[in-house]
Amino acid sequence: MLLKVFHISRSHLLKQSIPLHDQHFLFLCLIVPLTGPAISSASYSTASELLYMLHEGLPKGILIGNIVRDLQLGLLTDPPLSFSLASKGLSGKYVTLDNSTGELYTSAEELDREALCPHNPGAQDCVLLLDIIILPQEYFRLIKVKIAVIDVNDNAPMFPVAQIYITVPENAPVNTRLVIEHPAYDPDGGLNGVQTYRLVDYYGVFTLDVEENESGERTPYLIIMGTLDREVKSEYKTIIIAEDGGNPPLVGSATLSILISDVNDNCPQFSESAMNVTIPGNSSVGMKVTMVQAVDIDLGSNAIITYAFSERVPQSSKELFYLDENTGIIKLSKKVDGNTIQQHKLTILANGPGCIPAVISVSISIIKVALRPPEVVPRYIATEENGIIYLKELEPIHTPIAFFTIKDPDGKYKVKCYLEGEGPFRLGAYKTYTNEYLLETTNTLDFETKRIFNISVVALSLDGSKVRKPLQVYILDENDNSPVFTQPTIEVTIEENNQANAFLAKLHATDADSGERGQISYFLGPDAPAYFALDKQTGILTVTTMLDREEKEKYRFTVKARDSGKPPRESVATVHITVLDKNDNSPRFISKDFSFFVPENFPGFGEIGVISVTDADSGQNGWIALSIVNGSDIFVIDTGKGLLRAKVSLDREQQSSYTLWVEAADGGDPTLSSTAKITILLLDVNDNPPLVLFPQSNMSYLLVLPSTLPGSPVTEVYAVDKDTGMNAVIAYSIIGRRGPRPESFRIDSKTGNITLEESLMSDDYGLYRLLVKVTDHGYPEPLFSTVMVNLFVNDTVSNESYIESLLRKDADINIEEKEPQIAIEPTHKKIEADSCVPTLVTLSIFCLGSVILITLMAMYICLRKGKKDHRINENLEVQIPLNGKMDFHLLDKKPIEISNI
């Protein structure tokens, strides 16, 4: 086999426009079998192997090798050669193969050896294996390609932890070796891996050594080079640096803390060898005489000291004085009297583990006193230090502070005890024991109100001896006050269409507590919309977006003020934000065309309908004034409610519809407005009873000659109705009769003609009174009118005054209950054009034809008046109430003769 090594220089990479920081040396080693011609069937059927070596860090698009050139294959084949990767798994991520030329390129953005071989980053060999297939079949060949990625020093050593601790006993001998856990790690391999360690500061007592194991891992060791003393220096802190072998080398560092542990190499020692103490002869039992104190500079159990009397101390002294073995406090354990020895010498030993005791001599002199004042002995329950009592402000009432025992050393006086000073305290006798007093609180304590109290417990004997025990009480602050907003409800106004991040308000809260317990932070409540912001420190409330009052006018949410106590306390305030309106919306009708159907005779100023108009603005900008643009003296608009009213009752018979134009204008500046069309259609109602035009009076009468033939018309009742449709269909009926033979006359229900039914006899002469009811066909309740038809049967009218006297008398007429047969057609008599009758009936069904019907009715009435002008009188009173007895005191009318026709 022939091995060829190609070297691609930096100038070759520059020709390919590769960035300077990515230009590396590329080495290629080719192993090419020299069996057979360069292009032959035999040679193409055998397998070959290529080896390429290149440094990591190369960018995408670098030529790795040319399969055709490196295997010395010819390209002038028919068909031409094609190249492909047998598997595009991992290889396709790092290399690209040109199928036609056989050129092999890098495909990763940057070739990283540590990413390619993550499970063995420190190893020397990192190889990418490729299988390349050459086709077509007659030139088939399988090429094994190995790409060896050469490591470069692109990773610095790194410690797994930032702080490394190592403990060394202070008696460790020189040359002690201690392994440093957590050595540095470098993903690079070989010389590029970790090579050495060093310390920034060796303090003159340490050095480092590095050991390498069989696998090549290097472990640092700390070596003790000098003596250590924990009592002189208990900790050494330095920086440990790991350095690799690259060129240039890369380093990593961590903090190394060397802790010196204690050993028992020191014994207790007194600062002095002798003490002199003097106590009065009236000292009470339990009084502190003095205190001895030895020091052991070791730590923990090595520094435990116990105190004891020497064997040389007399038994009498041991009985008189008590020595606390732990604290070294010497107390008086027995009452001093006249027989007590005045001078005592106490030899005290300080014992430590494994040590020779330290010795101190204490000389105590007892001085006699002639008159000894009372003694106040405190026993503190609350925390006391250096004569200062500390109480928490949240302590409950009656919290005990201290017991005070009042002693009379000589036992000769009765002692009175009381409290001096101001404050919520009380000194009372403790009932169980004599001369025992309890000091307790009488009220709650408040640090914010008063922090220090100065009081004294006074013992007064009968001889005037007074002993004062001054006390100072400090109140400790606790987080017992929540922040308080200056305003529990914050009212804020802002105009709509504001700028983003607009200022709304500055919240302010106070906290009566001290220190961090009084430091306040501000927060929005959970109900606050996301577009409001509150600065935690300053309490400035802003809105981050533009507000639209028409979208939402009121915002209400909570804000919190929280202190820094443990646990923290907080208070809540409510923010009310009102978005002020701008006149940016015109009034808007719910419809541009309103239609109202109103029954006629609607009462004056009654509500015809509501003209609904809205304005999304508020206040004066949303005030809407409605006005009728085209002018009208009949209609008015209630601006406040939008109610359309008619000043007067509307009559469909006069006008059937109205069209109005209404303008809505707001109160903004400038004013915005809009208009709408209003159509009012009047619906007919049965509001007009039939109007009897003839006869014109209930007091008029007609002369009927006895010779009138049966079937002859005698007179008629003529009535009209101003309504339309079925409301104007009229029927006539006789509902009451009186006379010699009243059934002699009948009325046609359709025409109103009254005819004679039978021949009149000689005994039928006299006054006939017919009560005629004229009824329309209205719904839901027909309307009617009544008229009295008076017929005087006689040959002549010889005595008119007699007839008129009969007419003035009450007519006792029985009302018939029989309803008339109502005709479908109007009962008007035909005029010149008979074709108008069906037209009127048809138009009466539809309200929109009411105007034409009224016109025709008016023409008909005018024609009738022209024919019967001689029968019309000024009085038109024709309606008679349907009572059993009726009053007909009306104006007199002249009789009209009717002869046979």
Side-chain angles (χ1 to χ4, degrees), residues 745-818:
F745 300 94
R746 64 177 294 273
I747 189 168
D748 189 299
S749 62
K750 296 181 181 181
T751 63
N753 289 333
I754 299 176
T755 58
L756 181 64
E757 288 289 293
E758 301 175 354
S759 299
L760 298 174
M761 304 299 179
S762 58
D763 54 354
D764 294 334
Y765 286 53
L767 181 63
Y768 289 79
R769 311 197 75 175
L770 304 178
L771 182 58
V772 177
K773 181 179 181 181
V774 183
T775 307
D776 62 20
H777 200 200
Y779 178 85
E781 186 68 29
L783 301 179
F784 64 89
S785 299
T786 57
V787 64
M788 186 68 74
V789 178
N790 301 306
L791 302 176
F792 185 67
V793 178
N794 201 8
D795 292 327
T796 60
V797 179
S798 58
N799 190 353
E800 290 185 5
S801 60
Y802 169 71
I803 298 173
E804 290 175 358
S805 65
L806 292 177
L807 293 176
R808 290 190 181 95
K809 292 181 180 180
D810 291 339
D812 188 7
I813 299 176
N814 294 325
I815 305 300
E816 300 176 2
E817 298 299 330
K818 182 179 179 182

Side-chain angles (χ1 to χ4, degrees), residues 174-191:
V174 176
N175 294 325
T176 299
R177 297 170 63 88
L178 300 170
V179 66
I180 298 178
E181 302 292 341
H182 311 295
Y185 166 78
D186 194 328
D188 295 325
L191 290 175

Side-chain angles (χ1 to χ4, degrees), residues 819-872:
E819 291 295 330
Q821 298 295 324
I822 300 177
I824 298 177
E825 304 87 17
T827 58
H828 308 152
K829 287 188 177 182
K830 295 182 181 181
I831 55 177
E832 287 99 343
D834 293 338
S835 62
C836 292
V837 175
T839 303
L840 292 175
V841 173
T842 303
L843 292 177
S844 65
I845 300 174
F846 303 97
C847 293
L848 297 178
S850 59
V851 176
I852 300 175
L853 179 61
I854 293 173
T855 304
L856 295 176
M857 291 294 295
M859 293 173 58
Y860 183 81
I861 293 171
C862 292
L863 291 174
R864 293 294 299 174
K865 284 187 177 181
K867 291 182 179 181
K868 301 180 180 181
D869 196 38
H870 61 284
R871 295 185 298 179
I872 297 176

Side-chain angles (χ1 to χ4, degrees), residues 359-373:
V359 180
I360 188 172
S361 178
V362 179
S363 298
I364 302 175
S365 300
I366 300 176
I367 302 175
K368 288 186 176 181
V369 292
L371 294 175
R372 293 180 294 180

Side-chain angles (χ1 to χ4, degrees), residues 206-253:
F206 302 106
T207 188
L208 280 183
D209 188 19
V210 180
E211 292 185 2
E212 184 176 358
N213 59 17
E214 296 178 356
S215 62
E217 295 180 353
R218 297 174 184 268
T219 304
Y221 283 83
L222 181 70
I223 302 176
I224 310 301
M225 301 300 294
T227 57
L228 302 175
D229 189 351
R230 189 206 61 79
E231 288 73 31
V232 176
K233 190 174 182 65
S234 61
E235 181 181 1
Y236 297 86
K237 187 171 289 187
T238 184
I239 304 296
I240 183 171
I241 298 175
E243 183 176 311
D244 62 21
N247 186 18
L250 301 178
V251 297
S253 64

